[in-house]
Amino acid sequence: MSKILNWAIIGCGVISKSHCDALAVCENTKLYAVCDIIEEKAKAKAEEYHAEKVFTDYHEMLKDPNIDVVSICTPSGMHGQMCKDVADAGKAILCEKPMEITKEKMDDLVEYIEKKGVKMGCVFQRRCDNKFLEVKKAVDSGRFGKVILADAYLKYFRSQDYYNSAGWRATWELDGGGSLMNQGVHGIDLLTWIAGDVESVFARCETQVRNIEVEDTAIASLKFKNGAIGNIEGTTSVYPAQDTRLEIHCEKGSIIVSDKGILQWKIEGSDEEAPEIIDPVFKMKDDPTKLPTKSHVIPITDMANAVINDTEPAVTPRNARKAVDLILAIYKSSQEKREITL
């Protein structure tokens, strides 16, 4: 491929750095424009990464015919309308998680994007981690047998200062939730991607430590459509933070994988060993700025390939919404104190 795609970013906050770093090393991408309502932030980002254009109004930015792809890096509750506006401008979209924060808005966005025929990819960078890719392939192969029990332990630390640093954080309106919707969504996506879709959930969500309106601590009991059961523990209230850990127990063996690597890989009657994995360690469990550059290289490369080769992105809106649908069901279960069927 020889085409270079001009990329634009809406929102110059914490996660925009990962997009900028990845765009700088991907073969077919160039950071062309940045936009933020705070002009100083946009100018600083443009200077640091040599972007040609700076905007404070994304509607004005979208009028630029040179832009090919737009990354949405704004607060979660703004994603849907911005994606629709980008679609109206005829440009491809790469949206940070979660793609939206309510079922109604996700329904609307999926229908809108498909009607417009615009390419849209969603960022779940943990799927690009080789550890989790190998676990996914192994479970899908069937050699571990059917999944019996699948658990996700998602124990982060976020201080009160972190929540106070931006008015949209930990609000229902713009964050869509707390420890599950903002931090735990990645692990929840991995769990359902590997173990299968969830049929029903019974959950408890509480605000234990932080002065926020959403949960900082949650547990959920899951029933998967394939018959397996499992649990989710998600929090931002524990110190020290713990590695993200998934435990996948099947009828013939078990896999335990964490940020540090594959901790267990056992098949009954087999000497098969876990594959050797060399991957950057994700340290976001205690600091959201500690994302390795590689984390976004694969999603951005995939999005570029989809645009250039006219293929579907790896994580489409319909696929990306599954983790959010599950989180919304967890919230509903906790609020109504009953099992919720998805």
Side-chain angles (χ1 to χ4, degrees):
M1 296 185 295
S2 58
K3 180 176 174 58
I4 302 297
L5 298 175
N6 283 329
W7 219 280
I9 292 177
I10 304 176
C12 294
V14 171
I15 199 62
S16 67
K17 181 181 187 302
S18 297
H19 287 251
C20 292
D21 287 344
L23 289 167
V25 299
C26 291
E27 287 185 8
N28 305 102
T29 62
K30 172 190 175 183
L31 181 60
Y32 172 78
V34 294
C35 180
D36 197 282
I37 58 173
I38 301 174
E39 188 174 13
E40 292 77 12
K41 288 174 67 174
K43 285 182 175 179
K45 192 70 66 175
E47 182 176 353
E48 181 180 1
Y49 290 96
H50 310 293
E52 294 181 29
K53 300 289 186 72
V54 176
F55 296 87
T56 56
D57 183 340
Y58 78 89
H59 295 95
E60 289 300 314
M61 185 181 76
L62 294 177
K63 295 176 183 177
D64 191 325
N66 295 313
I67 295 173
D68 299 301
V69 188
V70 178
S71 283
I72 307 294
C73 300
T74 52
S76 305
M78 297 179 175
H79 289 176
Q81 186 58 53
M82 287 183 171
C83 287
K84 291 165 69 174
D85 291 338
V86 175
D88 286 341
K91 304 178 190 306
I93 307 157
L94 183 62
C95 185
E96 270 295 334
K97 60 76 188 169
M99 55 179 272
E100 251 301 347
I101 57 175
T102 71
K103 178 184 182 302
E104 293 74 21
K105 288 182 177 181
M106 288 192 294
D107 289 343
D108 177 57
L109 180 56
V110 169
E111 180 181 356
Y112 199 89
I113 294 299
E114 292 180 349
K115 184 177 180 179
K116 285 287 184 178
V118 171
K119 293 190 184 299
M120 176 174 168
C122 302
V123 179
F124 274 119
Q125 71 268 13
R126 302 305 296 271
R127 293 193 191 190
C128 306
D129 186 312
N130 287 329
K131 299 183 291 291
F132 298 113
L133 280 168
E134 289 297 332
V135 173
K136 166 72 171 169
K137 287 190 289 187
V139 172
D140 285 352
S141 75
R143 62 185 188 275
F144 281 79
K146 69 177 182 178
V147 180
I148 303 299
L149 185 64
D151 306 315
Y153 301 98
L154 315 168
K155 300 179 180 181
Y156 296 82
F157 172 77
R158 293 292 185 270
S159 67
Q160 188 64 49
D161 286 343
Y162 163 80
Y163 288 114
N164 294 343
S165 68
W168 66 273
R169 296 192 191 282
T171 64
W172 290 115
E173 180 183 4
L174 291 178
D175 214 355
S179 57
L180 296 183
M181 187 67 85
N182 193 308
Q183 288 79 23
V185 64
H186 289 290
I188 292 169
D189 174 70
L190 285 174
L191 184 68
T192 58
W193 184 53
I194 293 169
D197 293 343
V198 172
E199 180 179 295
S200 65
V201 61
F202 193 93
R204 182 188 296 274
C205 302
E206 297 183 354
T207 309
Q208 294 272 14
V209 178
R210 304 294 168 228
N211 181 25
I212 55 177
E213 66 183 57
V214 294
E215 89 289 350
D216 62 16
T217 308
I219 58 172
S221 176
L222 311 177
K223 175 71 174 180
F224 292 86
K225 290 182 179 180
N226 57 19
I229 57 176
N231 295 286
I232 292 171
E233 294 184 12
T235 181
T236 51
S237 61
V238 300
Y239 184 86
Q242 307 295 306
D243 286 329
T244 292
R245 189 173 89 254
L246 300 184
E247 297 189 3
I248 311 296
H249 302 285
C250 306
E251 60 179 333
K252 297 179 183 178
S254 295
I255 299 174
I256 299 176
V257 58
S258 82
D259 291 330
K260 288 188 173 68
I262 296 173
L263 308 180
Q264 185 176 96
W265 185 285
K266 293 288 186 181
I267 303 175
E268 184 179 10
S270 171
D271 295 327
E272 180 179 329
E273 296 183 354
E276 291 188 19
I277 304 295
I278 300 175
D279 249 335
V281 176
F282 283 72
K283 299 179 180 178
M284 287 188 71
K285 60 179 185 277
D286 54 10
D287 185 343
T289 67
K290 294 179 180 177
L291 251 181
T293 298
K294 183 180 178 181
S295 69
H296 279 64
V297 168
I298 295 178
I300 284 176
T301 299
D302 171 75
M303 191 68 221
N305 289 340
V307 173
I308 293 169
N309 299 319
D310 193 22
T311 57
E312 282 289 291
V315 185
T316 64
R318 284 189 179 274
N319 189 263
R321 70 172 296 167
K322 290 182 179 182
V324 183
D325 280 325
L326 176 52
I327 292 169
L328 293 173
I330 290 172
Y331 290 158
K332 185 175 183 180
S333 173
S334 179
Q335 291 159 3
E336 299 183 5
K337 297 179 172 54
R338 65 183 180 92
E339 185 174 12
I340 298 297
T341 299
L342 277 78

